[in-house]
Amino acid sequence: MKKLLFTFIVGLLAISAKADNVTFSVSDGIDNAAIKSKIETSVSKMLTEINAAQEAGRNLNFSAMGTVGTRVQQSMAMLWENSPFKCTDDDIVEHCITTGTGFQVRNIPLAMKPTGEREFGEDEYQEAVISFDRQGNIESFYLSISMNLYMNVIKSNLELTDLRRRQLILDYVEQFRTAYNQKDINFLNQVFSDDALIITGTVIQQKHSEGFSTPKIKYNKQTKEQYIKNLRGVFARNSYIKVTFNDIEVMRHPVNPNFYGVTLLQGWTSGTYHDEGYLFLLWDFTNESAPQIHVRTWQPDKIGGKPLPKDEVFSLSDFDI
């Protein structure tokens, strides 16, 4: 009887341990069988360790993931500290995208769990994107925009050079978004140019001599130094920050092909605050390995309960280059 009970318990433990295992497979998009197998093995190990760490309530053990570079480890550790997460599927099959520098897999389903603040819920669903170099080594792990938004931008221009640049822009937009979720002040300090213009709009009530008031947007300008200083304070005061991007639009400058305007509908949630509004970023990709943001604007998406008119949303045409 004791032997049967022991065998039963061992069986349960084996089933429990297996439940955390994640199997990742590439459906298509890559012809090299060796690199395809390497990517599949690396992602499977990474997601399996993520689930094991979340289940045990511990930090990530990167040695269990195989070969993961220091930069990727630091990025994942920062994201984990802000909001541990878990892969919600145990058998994932995804297309592999070929990029200008290697490969990428998207649509990795995650459930985020802010530390000590909220339980898993439908609103905490996120997706990850994992990038690889040409040899199949993991280069990055970021929270992604939705595949629908990604493909809308990619398909908006089929000219080869611009397509490659658009992939690069989306990659940096996802890095930019993830940096807020990671509270990565160093990345944000690097990506803004030293003379960056930061504009933030807030809704105020404008009083009229007739005795009534109407809502209007008041714009405040900041330097990069002021913005980074204020952002440090925001990061310090909030244990959890969640930034999401929707309704992305990318426009190339008609004269300077290295400048792009990116307009997004941003959602911002922290422990005590939530808002939604239009974020505009003016990116300079003259140096593709270290692009810079020269302009960042934010506007509320509604004024007086009504949607902000599209012609009032900042765009590329509003700034001289």
Side-chain angles (χ1 to χ4, degrees), residues 296-314:
R296 176 197 182 273
T297 72
W298 185 88
Q299 301 163 277
D301 64 334
K302 292 183 176 64
I303 178 170
K306 298 180 179 179
L308 185 68
K310 284 292 185 181
D311 60 359
E312 293 186 25
V313 178
F314 284 123

Side-chain angles (χ1 to χ4, degrees), residues 63-78:
S63 63
M65 299 183 187
T67 305
V68 180
T70 302
R71 189 169 68 90
V72 180
Q73 292 184 27
Q74 292 173 343
S75 175
M76 293 183 70
M78 285 189 290

Side-chain angles (χ1 to χ4, degrees), residues 117-162:
E117 291 192 13
R118 286 190 283 176
E119 296 298 320
F120 281 123
E122 186 177 351
D123 64 327
E124 298 304 325
Y125 175 81
Q126 298 285 342
E127 292 180 351
V129 51
I130 306 174
S131 297
F132 308 82
D133 62 19
R134 290 185 174 89
Q135 288 72 47
N137 301 307
I138 295 177
E139 283 195 323
S140 65
F141 179 99
Y142 300 120
L143 298 179
S144 65
I145 60 174
S146 71
M147 192 63 177
N148 182 48
L149 293 177
Y150 180 89
M151 292 309 299
N152 284 344
V153 174
I154 292 299
K155 291 179 178 179
S156 62
N157 191 307
L158 298 180
E159 192 264 315
L160 183 59
T161 303
D162 197 46

Side-chain angles (χ1 to χ4, degrees), residues 41-231:
T41 300
S42 297
V43 176
S44 296
K45 286 183 176 180
M46 173 179 281
L47 298 179
T48 295
E49 167 54 21
I50 285 171
N51 281 5
Q54 203 285 324
E55 184 70 23
R58 58 171 172 79
N59 290 330
L60 295 170
N61 177 12
F62 293 104
S63 63
M65 299 183 187
T67 305
V68 180
T70 302
R71 189 169 68 90
V72 180
Q73 292 184 27
Q74 292 173 343
S75 175
M76 293 183 70
M78 285 189 290
L79 185 60
W80 189 266
E81 182 179 358
N82 185 47
S83 181
F85 45 92
K86 181 177 182 178
C87 180
T88 58
D89 286 348
D90 57 10
D91 190 8
I92 302 173
V93 180
E94 282 297 336
H95 170 73
C96 183
I97 298 171
T98 300
T99 67
T101 58
F103 307 96
Q104 192 176 84
V105 293
R106 307 181 65 85
N107 302 334
I108 306 298
L110 301 178
M112 313 298 289
K113 186 174 183 180
T115 305
E117 291 192 13
R118 286 190 283 176
E119 296 298 320
F120 281 123
E122 186 177 351
D123 64 327
E124 298 304 325
Y125 175 81
Q126 298 285 342
E127 292 180 351
V129 51
I130 306 174
S131 297
F132 308 82
D133 62 19
R134 290 185 174 89
Q135 288 72 47
N137 301 307
I138 295 177
E139 283 195 323
S140 65
F141 179 99
Y142 300 120
L143 298 179
S144 65
I145 60 174
S146 71
M147 192 63 177
N148 182 48
L149 293 177
Y150 180 89
M151 292 309 299
N152 284 344
V153 174
I154 292 299
K155 291 179 178 179
S156 62
N157 191 307
L158 298 180
E159 192 264 315
L160 183 59
T161 303
D162 197 46
L163 173 61
R164 180 187 58 79
R165 179 64 65 80
R166 284 167 184 257
Q167 285 180 320
L168 186 62
I169 290 168
L170 289 170
D171 183 58
Y172 271 97
V173 165
E174 288 173 333
Q175 289 188 54
F176 182 76
R177 176 210 169 187
T178 304
Y180 285 92
N181 291 271
Q182 295 170 328
K183 303 181 188 177
D184 188 353
I185 200 72
N186 291 329
F187 174 83
L188 294 169
N189 188 48
Q190 292 170 5
V191 79
F192 283 105
S193 65
D194 289 339
D195 60 351
L197 173 63
I198 314 292
I199 301 175
T200 304
T202 55
V203 177
I204 64 171
Q205 293 296 321
Q206 183 179 27
K207 294 183 178 180
H208 300 272
S209 58
E210 293 83 356
F212 65 93
S213 61
T214 55
K216 64 172 291 187
I217 299 178
K218 178 183 178 182
Y219 292 102
N220 297 306
K221 294 182 180 180
Q222 297 181 70
T223 63
K224 170 187 173 178
E225 183 179 2
Q226 291 170 326
Y227 178 71
I228 294 298
K229 180 181 178 180
N230 291 336
L231 196 57

